[in-house]
């Protein structure tokens, strides 16, 4: 009889980043600017790489994928957030939440794996330059990208299957600005320890292992750079890694803090702020970092601008 009286959640209500109308308007303008800058900046990076012949290398092939991924990642979350800031109805259906949670988690995982692949690419380029064309041939690069996307989509499917199989019978107020696994799990009306364990295990596989690959790759790169006799050679080697390392610190620092800590220790308001960094700020900064700190991209961008200005 008790089970018959249970009402399961059919939609979620977002609390968002603020409940104050004036603050919401200001945040709407700020995040709309961030979103447009993210899309435009990453499209410029993709276009420049595609039209410049000297950028047709494995490093920039991976960067193209990263830029496309950042557009997908922000588009999964930010338009929903902007709509909630100006709209009266701040809800999302259970199905819509499930779809958003799946793709958001998938794209986040892909970024983790892709950043690990990019670190390995820099390791081979600096530590084994003579073997670089053989090891990082086009077929190998395509395979690495396919593995990054496929493994992440499958991992996200497993995590979402466990998360969505739990009963959600109220409350249905989501203290977040988009559907994310940790925040949705808090609303489950049953024990979530098994699902939390699954999330933690996949976080180790998809987040921590690529991070370990990055640490090992850069440790080997540093040792190789220290052995170089030429100061110019050391500077050139480090400059090719600076952009990638900056992105890794920004993305991984917040993602590991969010997904590899116990849910009982998670601050709900703090979690929203952290999520802003890896879903909005980092994708926006990526094209700026790669264009300002990377001499090849900066030079190609100037070349493209000069061509169009002369035309």
């Amino acid at each position: 009889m008790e089970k018959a009286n249970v009402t399961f959640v059919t939609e979620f209500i977002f609390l968002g980043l603020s409940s104050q109308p004036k603050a919401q308007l200001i945040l709407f303008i700020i995040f709309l600017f961030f979103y447009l800058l993210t899309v435009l900046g990453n499209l410029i990076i993709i276009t420049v790489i595609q039209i410049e012949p000297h950028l047709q290398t494995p490093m920039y092939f991976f960067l193209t994928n990263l830029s496309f991924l950042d557009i997908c990642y922000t588009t999964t979350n930010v338009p929903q957030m902007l709509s909630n800031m100006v709209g009266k109805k701040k809800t999302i259906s259970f199905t819509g939440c499930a779809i958003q949670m799946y793709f958001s988690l998938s794209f986040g995982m892909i970024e983790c794996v892709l950043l690990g692949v990019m670190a390995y690419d820099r390791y081979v380029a600096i530590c084994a330059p003579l073997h670089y064309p053989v090891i990082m041939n086009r077929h190998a690069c395509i395979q690495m990208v396919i593995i990054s996307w496929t493994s992440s989509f499958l991992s996200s499917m497993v995590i979402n299957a466990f998360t969505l199989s739990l009963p959600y019978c109220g409350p249905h107020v989501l203290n977040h600005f988009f559907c994310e696994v940790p925040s949705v799990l808090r609303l489950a009306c049953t024990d979530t320890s098994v699902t939390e364990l699954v999330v933690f295990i996949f976080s180790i596989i998809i987040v921590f292992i690529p991070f370990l690959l990055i640490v090992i790759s850069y440790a080997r790169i540093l040792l190789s750079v220290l052995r170089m006799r030429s100061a110019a050679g050391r500077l050139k080697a480090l400059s090719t890694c600076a952009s990638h390392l900056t992105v890794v610190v920004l993305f991984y620092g917040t993602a590991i803090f969010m997904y590899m800590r116990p849910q009982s220790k998670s601050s709900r308001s703090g979690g929203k702020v952290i999520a802003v960094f890896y879903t909005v700020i980092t994708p926006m900064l990526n094209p700026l970092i790669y264009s300002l700190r990377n001499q090849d991209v900066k030079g190609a961008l100037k070349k493209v601008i000069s061509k169009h200005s002369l035309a």
Side-chain angles (χ1 to χ4, degrees):
M1 292 296 292
E2 289 182 3
K3 289 184 178 179
N5 294 326
V6 173
T7 303
F8 290 98
V9 170
T10 57
E11 66 177 16
F12 293 107
I13 300 173
F14 290 110
L15 287 184
L17 295 171
S18 175
S19 59
Q20 301 298 320
K22 288 184 179 179
Q24 286 183 342
L25 181 60
I26 293 169
L27 288 171
F28 173 81
I29 295 169
I30 292 170
F31 284 107
L32 177 61
F33 174 73
F34 284 173
Y35 177 64
L36 294 175
L37 190 62
T38 300
V39 174
L40 181 63
N42 282 292
L43 282 175
I44 289 171
I45 292 289
I46 293 169
T47 305
V48 168
I49 291 172
Q50 293 304 309
I51 64 178
E52 284 300 310
H54 74 280
L55 296 181
Q56 304 301 310
T57 64
M59 176 182 172
Y60 295 107
F61 172 72
F62 294 132
L63 180 55
T64 301
N65 275 270
L66 183 65
S67 294
F68 175 71
L69 178 63
D70 282 339
I71 294 171
C72 295
Y73 195 21
T74 52
T75 302
T76 304
N77 306 316
V78 177
Q80 174 76 51
M81 177 178 65
L82 294 173
S83 174
N84 292 337
M85 284 177 178
V86 294
K88 292 182 179 179
K89 193 177 180 182
K90 306 179 189 301
T91 61
I92 187 171
S93 67
F94 188 86
T95 304
C97 184
I99 293 169
Q100 186 183 58
M101 191 163 60
Y102 172 72
F103 282 105
S104 177
L105 184 61
S106 296
F107 294 139
M109 286 180 159
I110 294 166
E111 184 138 356
C112 289
V113 181
L114 198 56
L115 288 173
V117 170
M118 291 173 77
Y120 175 72
D121 170 71
R122 291 298 82 209
Y123 158 71
V124 177
I126 294 170
C127 300
L130 296 178
H131 301 288
Y132 183 74
V134 178
I135 297 172
M136 300 303 293
N137 60 73
R138 184 159 184 83
H139 180 68
C141 291
I142 292 171
Q143 280 188 324
M144 289 178 187
V145 168
I146 291 172
I147 290 169
S148 299
W149 285 74
T150 306
S151 62
S152 299
F153 276 127
L154 292 175
S155 298
S156 180
M157 191 180 296
V158 174
I159 291 173
N160 275 266
F162 273 88
T163 304
L164 298 172
S165 65
L166 299 173
Y168 295 90
C169 45
H172 63 298
V173 178
L174 200 61
N175 189 14
H176 214 309
F177 58 88
F178 75 102
C179 288
E180 192 173 28
V181 173
S183 58
V184 172
L185 278 178
R186 294 192 189 102
L187 302 183
C189 49
T190 187
D191 179 49
T192 61
S193 56
V194 174
T195 304
E196 286 179 26
L197 180 61
V198 171
V199 172
F200 185 75
I201 290 169
F202 275 93
S203 296
I204 291 174
I205 297 169
I206 301 295
V207 179
F208 187 71
I209 290 178
F211 180 71
L212 193 62
L213 176 63
I214 291 169
V215 172
I216 294 170
S217 296
Y218 276 106
R220 297 292 297 273
I221 287 170
L222 184 60
L223 289 172
S224 181
V225 168
L226 290 174
R227 293 193 194 102
M228 292 180 182
R229 295 180 179 180
S230 168
R234 286 197 295 269
L235 186 63
K236 185 179 179 181
L238 291 173
S239 66
T240 61
C241 302
S243 303
H244 178 258
L245 199 54
T246 306
V247 172
V248 166
V249 171
L250 285 171
F251 185 81
Y252 263 99
T254 51
I256 288 176
F257 185 75
M258 189 70 175
Y259 279 92
M260 296 193 70
R261 59 176 178 160
Q263 291 300 313
S264 58
K265 295 184 180 179
S266 300
S267 166
R268 297 187 180 187
S269 297
K272 288 191 286 186
V273 175
I274 294 164
V276 167
F277 273 91
Y278 60 78
T279 60
V280 181
I281 304 298
T282 303
M284 178 195 68
L285 291 178
N286 282 356
L288 295 174
I289 291 167
Y290 277 103
S291 60
L292 293 175
R293 297 187 65 89
N294 189 297
Q295 295 300 322
D296 290 335
V297 175
K298 194 190 296 184
L301 191 57
K302 287 179 180 178
K303 188 178 175 183
V304 171
I305 292 170
S306 63
K307 278 183 181 178
H308 282 277
S309 61
L310 290 171

